[in-house]
Amino acid sequence: MTEDNHSLTTEFILTGFMDHPDMKTLLFVVFFAIYLITMVGNLGLVALIFKERRLHTPMYIFLGNLALMDSCCSCAITPKMLQNFYSEDRTISLHECMAQFYFLCLAETADCFLLAAMAYDRYVAICSPLKYHTMMSKQLCIKMAIGAFIAGNLHSMIHVVLLLRLTFCRSHKINHFFCDVLPLYRLSCVDPYINELMIPIFSGSIQVFTITIVVISYLCILFTIFKMKSKEGRGKALSTCASHFLSISMFYGSLLVMYIRPSSVEEVDKDIPVAIFYTLVIPLLNPFIYTLRNKEVMNVVKRIMKKRKPANILKQISSTVTT
């Protein structure tokens, strides 16, 4: 197929969720609520960790960066998706498409490394508590967080650069609610074999590397927990790690199904449900998973709420007036 016989596509139409126009109001309300809660939850968690000095520890620094990346993921996808529910013009340019995928890939890749760093942090805290402050110094923690962002940028740039070698002439309709690489490969009039090959090589390598760190860390944690004599200490350690492992399992499971499953490029119908889970649902759940089961964060929130009570505000005002 030559480019001379086909007009090249520079704009696409996102057709995800457009098969059921009678449900667009319900879908708009649901996804808008998810977006609002996600942004408030994640950015609120970032602000809380930034403001509260007692939360300036490695675990919460990683958690704050994870919440920031979840916000980035949601911002890259949801506004355009919400606009398309009621807009007659559902087009997105090729450059906008690449930018959307770039920020999504950046967020998801950084999340992989941040979750691995959090698992290692829990391993050191539970298995070597006396060496924790030397093994997990603030400088090392910041370097690991910066490394996660650098890895995310490099991984995103590789796939975006590979997209530039493709030309699109088969169709201008993307059967998805955002610009992912798999739907774009289906529209390419150039053989996307190299692009398809790079997904399991780079994405697979990143996931295998980070999953290995997570699995080894949690196996060591479990062995240490089972050796504990104190039931209270054992329960506290299990409770702390349970929320981390739940988030990790959901995140990696959905990514593996999406990008590493066999013949993923041809299985169009499976893309959207899995993509909803790892781009919208997980960023929504993470703030609740990590805060509701975390007594330290909840204590900070309760203390801030007490300070903001109307009665306390009136007392501060009256004391100011009397002085």
Side-chain angles (χ1 to χ4, degrees):
M1 187 179 295
T2 62
E3 295 180 12
D4 296 334
N5 296 331
H6 300 269
S7 59
L8 298 182
T9 301
T10 58
E11 288 187 340
F12 303 97
I13 297 177
L14 297 171
T15 62
F17 302 121
M18 300 307 158
D19 295 335
H20 305 285
D22 53 322
M23 295 182 62
K24 68 178 183 180
T25 301
L26 175 62
L27 291 172
F28 177 88
V29 172
V30 170
F31 288 124
F32 179 74
I34 290 175
Y35 178 63
L36 193 62
I37 296 171
T38 299
M39 297 306 295
V40 171
N42 283 289
L43 294 180
L45 185 58
V46 171
L48 183 68
I49 293 171
F50 178 79
K51 182 179 179 180
E52 191 64 33
R53 293 185 62 86
R54 70 173 63 186
L55 299 180
H56 292 180
T57 60
M59 183 177 74
Y60 294 109
I61 291 174
F62 292 136
L63 181 56
N65 283 282
L66 183 70
L68 189 63
M69 287 295 96
D70 284 343
S71 301
C72 176
C73 177
S74 187
C75 283
I77 293 172
T78 313
K80 182 65 177 177
M81 180 183 66
L82 293 174
Q83 177 189 344
N84 288 343
F85 278 115
Y86 288 100
S87 175
E88 294 182 1
D89 182 17
R90 301 190 185 102
T91 61
I92 183 170
S93 70
L94 179 60
H95 296 296
E96 289 175 330
C97 218
M98 291 184 178
Q100 192 178 58
F101 172 73
Y102 173 84
F103 286 108
L104 172 66
C105 186
L106 164 64
E108 301 298 342
T109 305
D111 277 0
C112 288
F113 286 97
L114 289 170
L115 289 171
M118 291 173 70
Y120 177 73
D121 174 76
R122 291 299 85 202
Y123 156 74
V124 177
I126 293 174
C127 299
S128 303
L130 299 178
K131 300 179 181 179
Y132 180 77
H133 293 291
T134 55
M135 294 178 66
M136 289 298 296
S137 63
K138 187 175 291 187
Q139 290 78 11
L140 176 62
C141 174
I142 293 172
K143 289 178 181 178
M144 292 172 73
I146 293 173
F149 291 125
I150 292 174
N153 274 286
L154 291 175
H155 188 219
S156 303
M157 289 173 63
I158 288 170
H159 289 294
V160 169
V161 169
L162 287 172
L163 276 175
L164 294 174
R165 65 177 287 271
L166 303 180
T167 53
F168 304 94
C169 55
R170 291 181 177 176
S171 173
H172 63 287
K173 292 184 179 180
I174 298 177
N175 185 25
H176 216 306
F177 61 93
F178 69 95
C179 279
D180 199 5
V181 287
L182 299 181
L184 286 174
Y185 293 165
R186 301 183 188 111
L187 305 182
S188 174
C189 52
V190 176
D191 186 2
Y193 173 74
I194 296 177
N195 300 64
E196 295 173 25
L197 185 63
M198 291 300 106
I199 289 181
I201 289 177
F202 287 105
S203 300
S205 299
I206 290 170
Q207 292 186 43
V208 168
F209 174 71
T210 53
I211 287 174
T212 301
I213 294 175
V214 169
V215 170
I216 293 174
S217 297
Y218 276 100
L219 284 176
C220 293
I221 288 170
L222 286 175
F223 284 130
T224 303
I225 290 174
F226 290 139
K227 290 179 181 179
M228 290 181 178
K229 296 180 180 180
S230 170
K231 291 184 179 180
E232 184 179 352
R234 189 184 305 169
K236 184 179 180 181
L238 283 172
S239 177
T240 302
C241 295
S243 59
H244 297 188
F245 192 74
L246 175 62
S247 176
I248 289 169
S249 301
M250 293 190 303
F251 178 74
Y252 279 112
S254 57
L255 284 185
L256 287 171
V257 170
M258 185 69 183
Y259 293 107
I260 312 300
R261 70 174 186 262
S263 303
S264 59
V265 174
E266 285 78 20
E267 297 178 6
V268 181
D269 296 336
K270 293 183 180 180
D271 286 358
I272 292 180
V274 178
I276 289 173
F277 195 74
Y278 78 84
T279 59
L280 301 178
V281 176
I282 291 178
L284 169 71
L285 295 178
N286 273 345
F288 299 99
I289 290 173
Y290 286 107
T291 56
L292 294 180
R293 295 180 60 86
N294 192 308
K295 291 182 179 180
E296 192 169 0
V297 174
M298 292 305 297
N299 289 336
V300 171
V301 173
K302 289 177 182 177
R303 193 176 72 252
I304 292 174
M305 293 299 292
K306 286 181 180 179
K307 290 181 179 179
R308 301 300 179 186
K309 281 184 178 182
N312 292 334
I313 295 173
L314 290 174
K315 287 180 181 178
Q316 292 177 4
I317 295 173
S318 60
S319 62
T320 305
V321 172
T322 53
T323 54

